[in-house]
Amino acid sequence: MSPIKVGLLGFGVVGGGTWKVLTQNADEIARRAGCHIEVVAVAVRDLEKARGLLGDDIAISTDGMDVVNHPDIDIVVELVGGETLAKDWIMQAIAQGKHVVTANKALLALHGNEIFAAAHDKGVMVAFEAAVAGGIPIVKSIREGLTANRIEWVAGIINGTTNFILSEMRSHGVSFAEALADAQRLGYAEADPTFDIEGVDAAHKLTLLSSLAFGVPVQFDAAHIEGITTLAAEDISHAERLGYTVKLLGITRRRSDGIELRVHPTLVPAESLLANVQGAMNAVMVHGDAVGSTVYYGAGAGELPTASAVVADLVDVARLLTADHVHRVPYLAFQQNAMADTPILPMSEVLSSYYLRLRVEDRPGVLADVSRILAQAHISIGSMFQEPANDGEADIIFLTHEAREGSIDLAIEQIQRLEFVRSKLTRLRVENLG
Ligand code: NDP
Ligand code: HSE
């Protein structure tokens, strides 16, 4: 079979890594794909830098459309990021009947429904393994490996940058700013790192995982998102005292009344697998009714791990080029005409256990008043302890049993109004993932 011709949009961390993997493993990849995969054109901003790295045999342009419209190209690989140019290029590639591989979770979380519909109409593939959890083949695992299951929930550490920051701060006493700068230097962070630290990148990925797991359209706007910027060091150490580790988790769960879709710092049992995922590693747990709980672990970001996922998609597309498109694996695991309209639940309907910390005046009756409000809201206390704070003040820490988020909201509002409460109450969610 003659080589498959590929155009790369972007030659940064992931684009450069993709080139490296395609070059260093060319023969092994050809043995798997059934043909060689050849990069014939690349788009970048800085022509000189790219020319120095790629040599003279490859067409290089600063206009992505030149690559998309290149007559020899079979597959367009989008590794630039963002939602504007990247969307125009992908839609143009699809319009021309070209297959697309992308690592762009932001684009798919926001415009995936439109992109997949257009691709379906044109009978082309849009493959996106690298968009979720870097090098871990989680998209393929859910879409194909677990296809027999009714999936009940998916939960995981799906942002390498934040996990790296939390690990560096906890294990090496590095400051938040230093850890973030290291994550950027190592190529883990997004072009705009607020996407990482505010939980947006994890929510982009979770949106895709939720669609793959439950066969619903992508609905990023319905996701509840909290990042790690407001996480206090004292809450991390109180959590440890209670036997938990704090991780930024993405959680999506199917319930009879809808789907939970949420990203937030979460207390997980210290002995659990997720608690022990360090650095830029990711781990995703998927619970299916037939298989039970499964866990997928590996590098969640960075040059070669992400390239591994991009190249896996290229090989998949190469293998499927001769297959009639209606017999290919569906983009979001479920057939395009069999998507469900199950609603995403508002955060107030989410069920979770909670960690609550409040700074109070240290005097008799305080605990009784707080406990009364929790009891009236039907929130049962699992454990509590008190820590002395400033002069005459104390921190009270509660772990609750499972409760409705709306009930917790109401109780927090009332507790916050008590005259002896000295600071904003901290609320973190607790998941035992059992
Ligand atoms: P980089 O910033 O390292 O690379 C971006 C590339 O796009 C650069 O080559 C840049 O050109 C090029 N580029 C930017 N704007 C334009 C433009 N207007 N026209 C042409 N080329 C342009 O990003 P990453 O490689 O880190 O990320 C790429 C994508 O992969 C993003 O969607 C990201 O979310 C996703 N991703 C990243 C991972 C990671 O670990 N880094 C992991 C998983 C997904 P130049 O080189 O000239 O600056
Ligand atoms: N910025 C992302 C992360 C890259 O840190 O996980 C991988 O998607």
Side-chain angles (χ1 to χ4, degrees):
M1 195 170 154
S2 48
I4 300 279
K5 305 266 170 80
V6 169
L8 287 187
L9 299 167
F11 200 71
V13 174
V14 185
T18 299
W19 165 262
K20 270 189 206 164
V21 172
L22 283 174
T23 308
Q24 80 198 23
N25 294 345
D27 291 340
E28 195 79 351
I29 290 166
R31 286 175 60 211
R32 291 194 164 119
C35 60
H36 275 93
I37 296 175
E38 203 178 292
V39 176
V40 296
V42 171
V44 287
R45 281 175 303 204
D46 184 340
L47 270 184
E48 289 314 306
K49 189 177 79 182
R51 177 67 63 210
L53 295 165
L54 286 161
D56 294 326
D57 295 339
I58 289 174
I60 306 178
S61 172
T62 51
D63 184 351
M65 280 299 177
D66 289 344
V67 171
V68 173
N69 294 331
H70 193 297
D72 296 343
I73 284 173
D74 307 298
I75 307 174
V76 172
V77 183
E78 187 277 307
L79 303 172
V80 168
E83 305 173 45
T84 46
L85 285 172
K87 184 177 175 206
D88 294 345
W89 296 328
I90 286 178
M91 293 305 273
Q92 171 70 3
I94 291 170
Q96 293 192 14
K98 293 180 180 175
H99 303 280
V100 173
V101 171
T102 180
N104 193 337
K105 54 267 171 160
L107 178 67
L108 294 181
L110 291 155
H111 303 288
N113 299 325
E114 181 187 347
I115 290 171
F116 295 130
H120 184 73
D121 288 348
K122 288 300 271 187
V124 297
M125 304 270 292
V126 175
F128 58 97
E129 184 67 68
V132 187
I136 304 174
I138 188 65
V139 172
K140 202 174 185 69
S141 298
I142 296 180
R143 203 178 49 196
E144 294 163 54
L146 298 178
T147 201
N149 287 263
R150 181 178 162 85
I151 293 175
E152 284 160 8
W153 53 264
V154 180
I157 295 168
I158 46 178
N159 181 268
T161 301
T162 43
N163 202 55
F164 177 83
I165 292 171
L166 291 175
S167 305
E168 288 292 289
M169 289 171 71
R170 181 169 172 266
S171 310
H172 304 115
V174 174
S175 73
F176 186 102
E178 274 178 287
L180 173 57
D182 284 346
Q184 289 179 289
R185 187 176 46 76
L186 292 164
Y188 304 149
E190 294 303 298
D192 176 356
T194 57
F195 275 37
D196 295 292
I197 60 180
E198 297 295 359
V200 176
D201 176 74
H204 288 147
K205 294 164 179 166
L206 187 71
T207 300
L208 295 170
L209 288 175
S210 187
S211 293
L212 287 162
F214 308 127
V216 292
V218 288
Q219 294 166 78
F220 172 74
D221 290 346
H224 173 88
I225 311 174
E226 285 173 44
I228 61 166
T229 47
T230 53
L231 201 53
E234 59 214 290
D235 291 317
I236 295 177
S237 56
H238 291 329
E240 284 182 5
R241 176 167 165 187
L242 290 160
Y244 291 88
T245 302
V246 181
K247 293 288 186 187
L248 184 72
L249 287 199
I251 301 167
T252 185
R253 179 178 281 128
R254 186 208 300 256
R255 293 185 0 204
S256 57
D257 50 351
I259 292 168
E260 295 182 3
L261 185 64
R262 50 194 171 101
V263 170
H264 47 69
T266 311
L267 275 68
V268 291
E271 72 282 0
S272 65
L273 285 164
L274 292 189
N276 292 289
V277 173
Q278 305 298 343
M281 303 306 273
N282 281 190
V284 186
M285 291 182 76
V286 184
H287 189 89
D289 63 347
V291 73
S293 289
T294 55
V295 186
Y296 308 82
Y297 170 83
E303 184 191 28
L304 297 182
T306 311
S308 162
V310 172
V311 174
D313 274 347
L314 279 170
V315 172
D316 257 2
V317 176
R319 283 172 176 159
L320 289 168
L321 280 179
T322 50
D324 168 0
H325 93 273
V326 291
H327 295 117
R328 292 183 194 143
V329 181
Y331 313 105
L332 288 172
F334 292 74
Q335 297 295 336
Q336 202 75 357
N337 60 2
M339 300 298 274
D341 57 3
T342 321
I344 304 293
L345 294 166
M347 197 57 191
S348 58
E349 292 303 324
V350 158
L351 295 173
S352 177
S353 304
Y354 294 86
Y355 161 103
L356 305 174
R357 174 173 61 83
L358 62 157
R359 174 76 46 97
V360 293
E361 195 183 326
D362 194 4
R363 65 164 165 80
V366 164
L367 201 54
D369 284 355
V370 175
S371 306
R372 183 180 36 78
I373 291 176
L374 290 173
Q376 279 167 355
H378 305 290
I379 297 159
S380 157
I381 299 167
S383 57
M384 64 85 48
F385 68 89
Q386 182 171 325
E387 277 279 294
N390 304 328
D391 273 355
E393 294 183 350
D395 276 344
I396 308 181
I397 293 98
F398 294 98
L399 274 190
T400 76
H401 290 303
E402 191 174 80
R404 236 184 95 254
E405 178 103 359
S407 308
I408 286 279
D409 288 342
L410 212 68
I412 289 177
E413 228 179 274
Q414 290 176 20
I415 293 169
Q416 201 67 73
R417 282 203 298 266
L418 295 170
E419 41 86 29
F420 53 74
V421 173
R422 291 284 179 265
S423 69
K424 189 167 177 289
L425 190 149
T426 299
R427 165 243 311 266
L428 295 171
R429 296 164 192 93
V430 182
E431 291 287 338
N432 290 309
L433 302 169

